Amino acid sequence: MGRWQELSREELERQYSPSRWSPRLGAAAVVEAHVREVTAGTRRARAAAGAVLQVPYGTGEREALDVYLPAAPAGAFPLVLYVHGGYWQFLSKEESGFAALPLLSRGIALVAVGYDVAPRGNMDVMVAQVRRSVACIVRQYPTTSGVYLCGHSAGAHLAAMVLATDWQEYGVAPDIKGAFLVSGIYDLEPIVSTYVNDALRMTPEVAQRNSPLLHVAAAMPATEACEVLVAVAQHDSPEFHRQSRQYFQALRSAGWKVSLLDVAHTDHFDVVEKLSQEGYILTQVILSAIARA
């Protein structure tokens, strides 16, 4: 792909319509199947695990966390904070516990984050909410052996913005040891010119302020131990691949420990759905990264 600015409006919208790139199902069917799959996976996790639901991190209706804790954890345990996708407009934490069981079996907690999707929430609000959710969870569980971020699509964008946080503003110093960013968007500027922005109503200034690609800080000693995985589905669009490569390169140039993974035989949706399966390659990569830390 060349520069996104060279694309016609029609092609830009096609590039940023993930459901149109799946070889498995049609556009509407693949979204419906995704919602069914993550909802069913979350129900299984809630039935099998000791889930603590609706833990508030703020006063807003959606400012709450669902916490899936391993059974009788021995001492400190790793904690994965999962930020859902849905193009900042759909889904919620109610469908976001589907990845819990493989983690819990290894003594790892999963926390699903709720936030105000558009049009109720705007981009500044969503970024601030996810940052506050991190601050809340590290206060609530101060003895974890490390916090790991995991986000899909819009959630990968929000998780990446967490990596660009000045934590002095929040009065905490979270021990973020890893980030697993799946099929994300790291430069919001192209989105401003697409249908996605109809609900978000971002100005170019808002897009720039909230683009992780434009806020990659040089790796500091405190973040040198943080391992970032930028993953993209084989059947994501060329623009999603370009964005993932560009963000990976920016992190690497800034001295971050980062890897890029193109997940074979997946599309934008099942690339994350399969995190409910312990044998799935991305699940194994995440478990291995946490075990190494």
Side-chain angles (χ1 to χ4, degrees):
M1 289 272 315
R3 289 159 47 87
W4 67 265
Q5 295 92 336
E6 298 169 357
L7 300 176
S8 67
R9 172 68 181 261
E10 180 182 10
E11 179 58 22
L12 192 65
E13 298 227 334
R14 192 173 80 92
Q15 289 289 327
Y16 285 97
S17 300
S19 61
R20 296 173 67 178
W21 294 83
S22 172
R24 294 184 295 137
L25 296 165
V30 77
V31 173
E32 292 170 2
H34 177 65
V35 174
R36 285 196 305 271
E37 185 66 26
V38 295
T39 301
T42 300
R43 286 176 181 156
R44 288 193 297 271
R46 287 183 174 184
V52 183
L53 307 180
Q54 286 296 115
V55 177
Y57 68 84
T59 58
E61 182 181 347
R62 285 208 175 198
E63 294 183 343
L65 310 168
D66 287 348
V67 182
Y68 299 80
L69 292 170
F77 53 87
L79 186 150
V80 173
L81 202 80
Y82 180 78
V83 189
H84 70 81
Y87 250 163
W88 307 278
Q89 301 168 54
F90 310 106
L91 297 178
S92 70
K93 69 176 180 59
E94 308 306 317
E95 305 88 23
S96 299
F98 60 93
L101 294 181
L103 297 173
L104 295 173
S105 69
R106 303 293 184 92
I108 303 164
L110 181 133
V111 176
V113 180
Y115 58 92
D116 283 317
V117 296
R120 180 171 181 171
N122 59 44
M123 194 60 69
D124 288 322
V125 165
M126 288 183 267
V127 169
Q129 285 177 323
V130 174
R131 286 170 168 167
R132 283 193 287 111
S133 77
V134 175
C136 172
I137 208 69
V138 298
R139 289 191 186 102
Q140 184 145 351
Y141 297 97
T143 59
T144 65
S145 58
V147 174
Y148 298 81
L149 308 170
C150 182
H152 171 239
S153 194
H157 158 266
L158 294 170
M161 286 300 292
V162 171
L163 296 179
T165 303
D166 179 358
W167 290 110
Q168 289 185 342
E169 297 179 16
Y170 295 84
V172 295
D175 182 18
I176 298 177
K177 289 190 172 178
F180 314 112
L181 310 176
V182 184
S183 292
I185 293 177
Y186 309 103
D187 178 7
L188 298 181
E189 191 176 359
I191 294 293
V192 174
S193 302
T194 71
Y195 71 95
V196 181
N197 201 36
D198 292 349
L200 296 170
R201 302 185 181 218
M202 287 188 296
T203 64
E205 293 74 23
V206 170
Q208 290 169 9
R209 183 163 63 242
N210 292 291
S211 288
L213 183 66
L214 303 181
H215 301 282
V216 175
M220 303 296 287
T223 61
E224 285 178 357
C226 180
E227 183 175 346
V228 181
L229 171 68
V230 180
V232 63
Q234 177 184 349
H235 298 294
D236 266 319
S237 75
E239 267 294 285
F240 273 81
H241 279 266
R242 181 191 65 79
Q243 287 233 10
S244 293
R245 287 194 306 271
Q246 194 171 13
Y247 186 56
F248 159 75
Q249 290 163 356
L251 287 172
R252 186 172 62 176
S253 296
W256 289 71
K257 186 177 182 181
V258 59
S259 55
L260 179 66
L261 177 64
D262 189 333
V263 187
H265 313 302
T266 60
D267 59 36
H268 187 82
F269 303 95
D270 62 357
V271 69
V272 73
E273 292 166 13
K274 292 180 180 180
L275 287 179
S276 63
Q277 305 170 15
E278 187 163 352
Y280 174 46
I281 181 173
L282 192 52
T283 307
Q284 287 298 310
V285 168
I286 290 171
L287 291 173
S288 296
I290 295 174
R292 284 196 306 271

